[in-house]
Amino acid sequence: MISMAIHSHHPDVRLVTPAQASEWLNAGWRDVWRNPALSLGFGAVYAGIGMALFVVLNILDMGSLLFPLAAGFMLVGPLAAVFLYEISRRHEANEAVGLGQVIGGVTSRLDQVGNMGLVLSILLMAWLLAGLVVFALFYPPGMPLPLDNFIADVVLRPESFRFLAVGAVVGGVLAVIAFSISVFAMPMLLDRDVGVIEAMEFSVHAVRVNWRTMIGWAATIAVVTFFGMATAFVGMIVALPVIGHASWHAYRDVMGRH
């Protein structure tokens, strides 16, 4: 493993290399199987939520909303993974790892975690609103379509290129903001007695210092999550815990252990 300290106003930020991403995934996989009932249980909860949304939106003939909601999940992923971070933190510290202890560890930092969650929720609402506005600009009156209609009449039509391009740019900007402020902030809030602003500043600085590696890591998270969702959310039972635990190890390598 290669890392070295970066001397700046964030003295604990360390350089990480793209090769370490595979180490994070391997460590995340190991953490899943150190306590499979707990890790996969949290994954199953979120998979169940995704399945329920899929069913409800299709019943309401609003299945096209699955696309922005699925993309929006990427924005709030660190909030969804907060219990998984706590599991990994407890394994690392040789502390008891049970459902009560994990929930208690998160709730002990509930104010700061909740504030971070609020920031991410605002970004999610901004993304959903922006998505509806972009859709309305290209397809008045902008009402959500059934999933089949959306794929056939919007996604697969050559003239939809501008709509998809604008949507990708808008979503990409919000995704970069959300990733930068939260990828290391949420784990830090569980690991250290810091406020949300300090944690977000650290996260942004760490992403900037390691921007090449973080581009690859963000793409890895997106690909794994996509395949988890593409299996009717069944794959999220495993995908979310692996990514959640791996993200803790990414944080630990960037932060260091002192």
Side-chain angles (χ1 to χ4, degrees):
M1 185 182 300
I2 301 173
S3 65
M4 64 181 181
I6 298 297
H7 298 289
S8 70
H9 63 288
H10 291 285
D12 286 324
V13 173
R14 294 167 177 251
L15 276 180
V16 290
T17 66
Q20 287 176 250
S22 61
E23 297 177 13
W24 301 334
L25 288 173
N26 289 334
W29 181 256
R30 289 194 299 270
D31 277 1
V32 168
W33 299 111
R34 292 179 74 178
N35 202 316
L38 202 54
S39 293
L40 297 178
F42 282 118
V45 169
Y46 291 111
I49 294 172
M51 293 175 190
L53 280 172
F54 177 81
V55 171
V56 170
L57 289 175
N58 275 300
I59 289 174
L60 297 175
D61 286 333
M62 300 172 67
S64 59
L65 284 179
L66 281 171
F67 287 97
L69 285 173
F73 179 81
M74 307 288 185
L75 304 183
V76 297
L79 179 61
V82 65
F83 293 105
L84 300 164
Y85 300 152
E86 178 64 9
I87 292 172
S88 290
R89 188 195 69 78
R90 286 181 167 272
H91 278 310
E92 182 183 288
N94 294 317
E95 297 178 3
V97 183
L99 180 61
Q101 288 93 344
V102 170
I103 293 176
V106 173
T107 55
S108 69
R109 297 289 297 161
L110 190 58
D111 286 348
Q112 300 302 336
V113 169
N115 288 336
M116 188 73 238
L118 179 61
V119 172
L120 294 177
S121 297
I122 291 172
L123 284 172
L124 173 61
M125 296 304 295
W127 158 239
L128 292 175
L129 179 60
L132 290 173
V133 169
V134 171
F135 184 73
L137 288 174
F138 287 91
Y139 298 95
M143 295 300 293
L145 301 173
L147 186 58
D148 291 343
N149 292 32
F150 182 77
I151 293 174
D153 298 338
V154 178
V155 177
L156 298 181
R157 292 177 64 180
E159 56 268 33
S160 296
F161 174 77
R162 286 191 303 161
F163 160 69
L164 296 174
V166 172
V169 170
V170 173
V173 170
L174 289 173
V176 168
I177 294 172
F179 180 83
S180 298
I181 67 174
S182 66
V183 62
F184 299 123
M186 194 66 83
M188 188 180 192
L189 291 173
L190 296 175
D191 184 44
R192 301 196 173 197
D193 187 18
V194 297
V196 169
I197 299 300
E198 183 179 350
M200 288 194 297
E201 287 178 346
F202 172 83
S203 185
V204 170
H205 182 65
V207 169
R208 182 180 64 80
V209 168
N210 293 285
W211 67 271
R212 292 180 180 86
T213 300
M214 288 300 104
I215 289 174
W217 182 234
T220 299
I221 292 174
V223 169
V224 173
T225 304
F226 170 79
F227 281 108
M229 292 180 175
T231 56
F233 294 93
V234 174
M236 289 298 289
I237 297 174
V238 177
L240 181 62
V242 170
I243 288 297
H245 292 310
S247 295
W248 170 265
H249 292 283
Y251 158 75
R252 180 55 76 205
D253 279 354
V254 167
M255 168 63 77
R257 299 178 183 274
H258 55 278

